[in-house]
């Protein structure tokens, strides 16, 4: 696991009842990822997963305005690239690159997600690595802990059905 730099990184750790294989499916099968990946009322309306180093990881999220009062739908396209794919163990992806290792102008983060068997389930860790302290602070202010925990709750609910 990557050492946490508290000035640059944010981390979520959770114990899930589901085995690593089930959580892996929820992360790597587009139709499953779309069911849990962002906190409601937002939803993933499109997901592309080319599960290999250098492969595309794309999600389109849609939801209400950021303050929840805007009746119009907002959309956010998230284009990224897988860096490491270790089945049922670890996924590393970034928005600093797009598919085919093509750099982007303004990267936001690299994410490391690990799945470790523990107590009949999975110890799950999701770490967001940021370029600078300002990026980390911005992500935390955007609701990293609340949003990633809400998505993890949705992941747990979905995994329980598989």
């Amino acid at each position: 696991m990557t050492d946490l730099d508290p000035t640059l990184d944010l981390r979520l750790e959770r114990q899930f009842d589901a085995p690593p294989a089930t959580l892996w499916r929820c992360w790597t099968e587009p139709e499953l990822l779309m069911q849990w990946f962002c906190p409601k009322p937002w939803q993933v309306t499109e997901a592309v997963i080319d599960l290999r180093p250098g492969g595309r990881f794309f999600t389109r999220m849609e939801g209400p305005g950021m303050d929840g009062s805007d009746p119009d739908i907002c959309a956010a396209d998230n284009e990224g690239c897988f860096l490491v794919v270790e089945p049922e163990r670890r996924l590393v992806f970034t928005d600093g690159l797009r598919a085919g290792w093509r750099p982007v102008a303004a990267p936001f983060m690299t994410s490391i997600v690990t799945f470790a068997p523990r107590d009949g389930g999975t110890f799950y860790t999701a770490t967001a690595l940021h370029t600078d302290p300002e990026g980390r602070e911005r992500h935390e202010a955007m609701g990293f802990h609340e949003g990633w925990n809400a998505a993890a709750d949705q992941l747990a609910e979905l995994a329980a059905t598989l």
Side-chain angles (χ1 to χ4, degrees):
M1 182 183 319
T2 299
D3 290 333
L4 189 71
D5 179 340
T7 65
L8 297 173
D9 308 330
L10 296 166
R11 178 169 289 158
L12 168 72
E13 296 177 327
R14 297 275 294 260
Q15 176 68 30
F16 285 92
D17 291 334
T22 300
L23 297 180
W24 181 262
R25 285 187 58 211
C26 292
W27 263 97
T28 60
E29 296 178 22
E31 62 279 358
L32 294 177
L33 183 109
M34 291 172 64
Q35 296 178 49
W36 72 267
F37 192 64
C38 60
K40 293 176 183 0
W42 282 72
Q43 61 182 334
V44 175
T45 58
E46 181 181 356
V48 177
I49 298 174
D50 180 5
L51 197 58
R52 62 184 174 84
R56 184 179 187 208
F57 182 38
F58 171 84
T59 58
R60 179 177 181 80
M61 298 179 188
E62 295 182 3
M66 293 305 281
D67 65 0
S69 65
D70 187 346
D72 295 327
I73 296 293
C74 293
D77 289 344
N78 302 288
E79 189 71 57
C81 175
F82 287 106
L83 303 174
V84 177
V85 177
E86 296 175 4
E88 299 179 18
R89 289 193 54 234
R90 183 168 66 142
L91 278 174
V92 181
F93 55 95
T94 185
D95 66 353
L97 299 169
R98 62 180 191 258
W101 311 105
R102 298 288 175 192
V104 299
F108 181 63
M109 71 176 172
T110 295
S111 297
I112 302 169
V113 180
T114 62
F115 313 88
R118 184 197 283 177
D119 299 330
T122 303
F123 186 70
Y124 171 87
T125 304
T127 306
L129 310 175
H130 299 86
T131 306
D132 52 41
E134 295 77 22
R136 180 210 178 274
E137 291 167 11
R138 189 170 54 252
H139 196 185
E140 189 169 38
M142 288 169 48
F144 169 84
H145 296 289
E146 299 83 358
W148 285 41
N149 268 300
D153 290 343
Q154 294 167 183
L155 172 58
E157 290 171 15
L158 175 62
T161 70
L162 300 177

